[in-house]
Amino acid sequence: EIVVTQSPATLSLSPGERATLSCRASQSVSSHLAWYQQKPGQAPRLLMYDTSKRASGIPARFSGSGSGTDFTLTISSLEPEDFGVYYCQHRTNWPPALTFGGGTKVEIK
Amino acid sequence: QVQLQESGPGLVKPSQTLSLTCTVSGGSITSGGYYWTWIRQHPGKGLEWIGYIYYSGSTYYNPSLKSRFTISIDTSMNQFSLKLSSVTAADSAVYYCVGDHGDFYYWGQGTQVTVSS
């Protein structure tokens, strides 16, 4: 069973700063790695899929990278609306099962 | 664009069976390539994948969860459903239905379920 670990648990940053969120898998995984943003009372919002592809309507300040066991979500310059909890999600090829990381909370410093 | 909407009772008594339905719009549930999925989120916690059903009826569940879950599909209604038997307070959560397209995911808005007498 693949375990997905996110770090840090909390990231305290100011608007305009760069945010780097890490997602690590317990074994080498495919590129089926997605990132979500969730705000209180809302469903998760898909940001990135297939490691580095931005979902429709997602600003270019969001980017994803990585391979093997280590993946990163980067927000180049934080906007006030970017604060929330971010989850990474891996999908196995077969059977197609989803595994989520525990989340990183991005908060205002 | 595919849209999903969960429906079901917000309050369920302990030991009863929880039944939730997800209505798919903007596309046919029999479109190939979609794994119709249920995910839940306990209060203040992370996301937990429950399982999926394919339009053919094949299912797969999270092996880490006890086998109280059943996912079914009604292609005539463009819906799929989740049943959870013998619920306890630990099953109180927001339940999401998701269309997993392999490289892309469509989420419903979620429905809050509380287990209480």
Side-chain angles (χ1 to χ4, degrees):
Chain A
E1 179 187 347
I2 296 173
V3 176
V4 178
T5 304
Q6 291 186 242
S7 62
T10 303
L11 203 50
S12 296
L13 294 168
S14 301
E17 291 192 294
R18 182 183 187 90
T20 303
L21 286 69
S22 174
C23 177
R24 177 164 289 178
S26 57
Q27 57 186 274
S28 184
V29 297
S30 69
S31 63
H32 291 311
L33 197 288
W35 289 92
Y36 295 88
Q37 176 196 64
Q38 188 177 35
K39 297 186 177 183
Q42 297 183 16
R45 173 194 181 198
L46 181 66
L47 299 174
M48 313 293 300
Y49 63 99
D50 271 2
T51 300
S52 60
K53 298 175 182 176
R54 276 189 299 276
S56 177
I58 302 304
R61 64 180 181 272
F62 290 91
S63 63
S65 63
S67 64
T69 60
D70 293 312
F71 298 84
T72 300
L73 175 71
T74 301
I75 311 172
S76 59
S77 178
L78 278 166
E79 296 287 342
E81 63 266 27
D82 297 336
F83 295 94
V85 180
Y86 289 77
Y87 294 98
C88 64
Q89 168 217 288
H90 176 257
R91 182 186 190 273
T92 54
N93 286 325
W94 189 260
L98 304 182
T99 304
F100 293 92
T104 290
K105 182 178 182 181
V106 177
E107 61 180 24
I108 300 172
K109 188 173 181 180
Chain B
Q1 179 170 322
V2 172
Q3 295 182 312
L4 296 90
Q5 177 67 59
E6 306 88 350
S7 59
L11 182 63
V12 183
K13 289 182 167 52
S15 80
Q16 290 188 340
T17 295
L18 164 66
S19 294
L20 297 175
T21 296
C22 182
T23 301
V24 179
S25 59
S28 172
I29 203 168
T30 59
S31 297
Y34 280 95
Y35 294 86
W36 304 106
T37 297
W38 288 98
I39 289 167
R40 70 179 179 179
Q41 186 172 34
H42 292 102
K45 301 297 183 182
L47 300 160
E48 181 175 52
W49 177 76
I50 295 170
Y52 72 79
I53 189 165
Y54 199 57
Y55 77 93
S56 61
S58 63
T59 56
Y60 184 70
Y61 299 95
N62 186 337
S64 299
L65 298 177
K66 293 183 179 179
S67 56
R68 295 183 292 123
F69 293 96
T70 303
I71 301 175
S72 59
I73 194 165
D74 185 341
T75 56
S76 66
M77 296 292 289
N78 231 38
Q79 295 175 333
F80 64 105
S81 299
L82 175 72
K83 289 189 187 300
L84 176 59
S85 62
S86 305
V87 298
T88 69
D91 295 311
S92 296
V94 176
Y95 288 76
Y96 296 98
C97 60
V98 177
D100 170 358
H101 197 248
D103 57 357
F104 206 83
Y105 309 88
Y106 299 93
W107 288 62
Q109 65 184 26
T111 187
Q112 173 71 53
V113 173
T114 301
V115 179
S116 174
S117 55

